[in-house]
């Protein structure tokens, strides 16, 4: 079959990319379709041709889910304290301000309270662009407080995960955030207050192994990578290629760890329907 | 015994060998004096070396192939052990051993990761790396302990939860998450002891408790120094630096207020005298149990929320 493959870059249809004016058009990472940014926004950052869900941030999710102007952010400026004075190829104390500047975020989660169709919801949403959406002390503490808001005000909790796992630069402190958030969720559950976990691409490591898997209902976006160990590590361990679709949303639904998969355009409606059944 | 000598132990072993040789000459007084001097020197050397171990050297001690494992502690600390198997769902995970035992007057449920001593037993034990059914077995037995008001002791010694294909299929993440959730509200006391390696979520999966103890030469962190090196430095060569950066020793964690207590080991590490080590740990556990059983069951949950709630450093 290789005879028919185009080997020269310059005759590939992909090369039209260079003709696209910067910032106006986006190429689908999956099918290569060129989409105008306006159309993308209208389509909630989903490719109209192949249904590929682009990774979006907490602000976009807030806009998608909440009634306009209803969202009040909590603990917005909480930032990492660098407890280990961690240094790898870069100082963590320098990495943090640099990432804050670049991303416009203070850490990898945004929390707050908002309304969906007038219904009050305690909410947390992670941001992958802040050090891989990694969970350190700030993520743990902000989520714990959001859970407490749900507990105190007896309102449903929704957390959207998007994370590579626990943050290495805070060592065991990061690990303990799994304990912190899970114990708070246990108290919330005792009070019979619903918690919906939404898993987006990617959700792995300590994040999956704590709050992301503990929803009364676990919802996933299509084709999101969800797992404990990363695919590369697993491949190394078992010494063979991984099956197609392994650790994707559909795989998790198939094995019973996700209640259902929902397209982003139906997320708000399905979420609200679910919450209304439980509260 | 010569097969498992760590690099930094070599000068000690050499001196000890010399003493042994001189003793075999026996006889004259002169040599006896000489031997005594050498023995003093060895002791001095040991104190020097073991008091000044780097973090990476402690990681090596924590992984020492002769180090006592969960079953050694069960054997040396408890009587009438009945091993209990299986998660009642899928199978019995050999990487986690569990059962009922008596520590003098206390009935306890002991649950811990178990490594093997050689290739064959390591394959049987999966190198102490549990699959989801291991965490589910642990949870089943904790619930059993709760039902009959028996305190739980967990022993952590794992290079991590098993990163395998089937482990993912059966929900490794869900199994660990469920344990964190359920252990938080378990209505009997839980004492957690890190006896060797405490690697990441695989360790924490049986690591929620009222008292968290670490043996002196153990480590506990979010990732192993090797994996940390490979991710942050993009090379396996920086494990020493990674160990330093992660601040993962018992002393570090006590200072970070993430654990409650360090249990001292015999000079040179737990493997130098497993019986003495077990005796020390047994006394510590009895002290802790005596305190914990006084706490009302309903209070335990709130205490754990507060305990783990305090962990973390941030700026507001």
């Amino acid at each position: 079959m290789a005879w028919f493959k185009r080997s020269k870059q310059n005759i590939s249809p992909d090369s039209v990319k260079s003709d696209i004016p910067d910032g106006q058009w986006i190429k689908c990472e999956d099918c290569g379709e060129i989409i105008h940014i306006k159309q993308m926004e209208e389509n909630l950052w989903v490719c109209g041709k192949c249904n590929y869900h682009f990774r979006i941030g907490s602000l976009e999710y807030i806009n998608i889910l909440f009634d306009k102007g209803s969202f009040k952010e909590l603990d917005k400026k909480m930032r990492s304290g660098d407890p280990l004075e961690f240094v790898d190829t870069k100082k963590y104390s320098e990495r943090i301000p640099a990432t804050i500047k670049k991303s416009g975020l203070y850490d990898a989660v945004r929390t707050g309270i908002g309304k969906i169709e007038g219904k009050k919801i305690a909410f947390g949403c992670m941001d992958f662009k802040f050090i891989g959406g990694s969970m350190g002390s700030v993520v743990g503490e902000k989520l714990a407080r959001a859970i407490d808001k749900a507990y105190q005000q007896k309102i449903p909790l929704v957390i959207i995960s998007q994370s590579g796992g626990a943050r290495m630069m805070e060592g065991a402190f990061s690990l303990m955030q799994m304990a912190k958030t899970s114990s708070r969720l246990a108290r919330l559950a005792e009070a019979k207050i619903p918690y919906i976990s939404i898993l987006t691409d990617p959700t792995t490591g300590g994040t999956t192994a704590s709050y992301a898997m503990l929803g009364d209902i676990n919802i996933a976006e299509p084709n999101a990578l969800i797992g404990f160990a990363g695919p590369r590590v697993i491949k190394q361990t078992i010494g063979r290629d991984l099956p197609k679709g392994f650790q994707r949303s559909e795989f998790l639904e198939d094995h019973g760890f996700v209640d259902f998969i929902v397209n982003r355009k139906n997320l708000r409606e399905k979420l609200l329907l679910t919450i209304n059944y439980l509260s | 015994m010569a097969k498992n000598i760590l690099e930094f132990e070599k000068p000690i072993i050499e001196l000890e060998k010399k003493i042994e040789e001189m003793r075999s000459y026996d006889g004259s007084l002169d040599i006896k004096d000489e031997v005594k001097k050498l023995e003093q020197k060895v002791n001095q050397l040991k104190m020097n070396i073991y008091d000044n171990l780097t973090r990476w050297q402690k990681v090596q001690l924590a992984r020492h192939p002769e180090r006592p494992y969960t079953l050694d502690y069960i054997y040396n600390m408890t009587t009438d052990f009945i091993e209990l198997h299986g998660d009642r769902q899928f199978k019995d995970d050999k990487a986690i051993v569990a059962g009922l035992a008596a520590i003098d007057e206390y009935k306890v449920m002991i649950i811990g990761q178990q490594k093997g001593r050689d290739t064959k037993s390591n394959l049987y034990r999966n190198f102490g790396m549990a699959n989801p059914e291991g965490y589910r077995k642990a949870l089943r037995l904790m619930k059993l302990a709760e039902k009959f008001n028996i305190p739980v002791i967990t022993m952590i010694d794992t290079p991590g939860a098993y990163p395998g294909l089937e482990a993912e299929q059966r929900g490794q993440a869900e199994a660990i998450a469920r344990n964190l959730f359920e252990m938080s509200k378990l209505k009997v006391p839980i004492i957690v002891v890190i006896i060797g390696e405490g690697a990441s979520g695989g360790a924490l999966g049986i690591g929620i408790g009222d008292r968290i103890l670490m043996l002196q030469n153990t480590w506990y962190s979010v990732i192993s120094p090797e994996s940390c090196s490979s991710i942050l430095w993009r090379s396996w060569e920086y494990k020493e630096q990674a160990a330093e950066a992660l601040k993962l020793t018992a002393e570090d964690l006590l200072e970070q207020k993430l654990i409650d207590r360090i249990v001292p080991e015999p000079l040179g590490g737990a493997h130098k005298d497993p019986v003495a080590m077990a005796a020390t740990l047994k006394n510590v556990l009895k002290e802790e149990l005596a305190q914990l059983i006084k706490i009302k069951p309903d209070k335990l949950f709130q205490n754990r929320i507060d305990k783990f709630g305090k962990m973390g450093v941030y700026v507001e």
Side-chain angles (χ1 to χ4, degrees), chain A:
Chain A
M1 291 304 285
W3 304 340
F4 301 104
K5 227 176 184 176
R6 281 178 167 146
S7 57
K8 284 184 185 156
Q9 275 300 317
N10 57 354
I11 58 164
S12 151
D14 292 355
S15 62
V16 294
K17 195 181 171 191
S18 57
D19 301 333
I20 304 167
D22 240 20
Q24 286 299 303
W25 296 82
I26 291 162
K27 187 174 142 188
C28 175
E29 288 165 37
D30 203 34
C31 72
E33 179 81 351
I34 311 291
I35 313 154
H36 194 271
I37 200 160
K38 264 244 166 94
Q39 197 189 346
M40 263 309 237
E41 262 181 52
E42 274 167 26
N43 214 17
L44 310 180
W45 303 90
V46 175
C47 174
K49 192 179 168 199
C50 75
N51 199 34
Y52 176 78
H53 281 55
F54 281 73
R55 193 177 288 158
I56 55 173
S58 53
L59 269 189
E60 285 82 9
Y61 278 112
I62 287 166
N63 284 335
I64 290 170
L65 293 178
F66 291 99
D67 303 346
K68 218 168 180 193
S70 74
F71 189 78
K72 301 263 182 313
E73 189 169 349
L74 296 163
D75 307 304
K76 185 177 178 182
K77 293 190 173 172
M78 190 191 288
R79 48 193 282 178
S80 172
D82 188 17
L84 305 184
E85 297 174 349
F86 192 94
V87 183
D88 52 278
T89 54
K90 212 179 186 181
K91 280 186 179 166
Y92 183 48
S93 61
E94 289 167 9
R95 208 186 275 269
I96 288 287
T99 313
I100 290 175
K101 213 174 152 193
K102 203 175 94 191
S103 65
L105 300 162
Y106 287 87
D107 211 295
V109 76
R110 202 188 289 270
T111 55
I113 293 174
K115 285 179 181 167
I116 304 179
E117 300 291 332
K119 196 174 177 73
K120 248 175 130 185
I121 307 279
F123 181 72
C125 181
M126 303 187 76
D127 276 291
F128 191 78
K129 67 178 169 185
F130 198 97
I131 316 186
S134 55
M135 168 186 44
S137 300
V138 175
V139 169
E141 182 63 24
K142 282 174 82 169
L143 285 177
R145 290 184 190 183
I147 298 167
D148 286 351
K149 287 280 184 225
Y151 179 73
Q152 289 150 4
Q153 301 187 21
K154 297 189 170 51
I155 53 176
L157 171 74
V158 175
I159 296 177
I160 300 184
S161 294
Q162 184 181 79
S163 164
R167 187 175 298 168
M168 277 174 281
M169 298 81 161
E170 293 183 29
F173 283 101
S174 298
L175 189 63
M176 297 310 157
Q177 305 313 308
M178 296 167 64
K180 181 192 278 186
T181 50
S182 301
S183 60
R184 299 292 240 283
L185 286 174
R187 176 164 66 185
L188 189 74
E190 296 275 287
K192 298 197 184 337
I193 294 165
Y195 162 42
I196 315 294
S197 171
I198 300 172
L199 299 94
T200 71
D201 185 62
T203 302
T204 60
T207 301
T208 323
S210 56
Y211 50 87
M213 270 292 152
L214 290 173
D216 292 306
I217 305 286
N218 296 332
I219 303 174
E221 283 194 344
N223 200 39
L225 177 75
I226 302 166
F228 179 62
R232 244 179 314 163
V233 178
I234 299 168
K235 204 174 146 182
Q236 269 173 20
T237 309
I238 63 171
R240 59 191 153 97
D241 283 337
L242 301 170
K244 201 167 177 283
F246 179 65
Q247 290 186 312
R248 294 288 163 181
S249 307
E250 297 70 16
F251 174 93
L252 269 97
E253 188 188 64
D254 203 31
H255 285 89
F257 294 101
V258 156
D259 287 282
F260 60 87
I261 297 168
V262 65
N263 278 322
R264 197 175 283 158
K265 68 173 192 292
N266 301 325
L267 181 61
R268 184 179 205 262
E269 176 202 351
K270 275 285 189 82
L271 179 66
L272 187 63
L273 190 61
T274 308
I275 289 173
N276 281 337
Y277 271 114
L278 304 181
S279 59

Side-chain angles (χ1 to χ4, degrees), chain A residues 148 180 183-184 187, chain B residues 299-311:
Chain A
D148 286 351
K180 181 192 278 186
S183 60
R184 299 292 240 283
R187 176 164 66 185
Chain B
K299 198 90 198 0
L300 291 170
F301 187 14
Q302 186 59 47
N303 288 354
R304 288 179 201 133
I305 288 173
D306 295 343
K307 180 184 184 64
F308 290 97
K310 278 186 208 134
M311 297 178 184

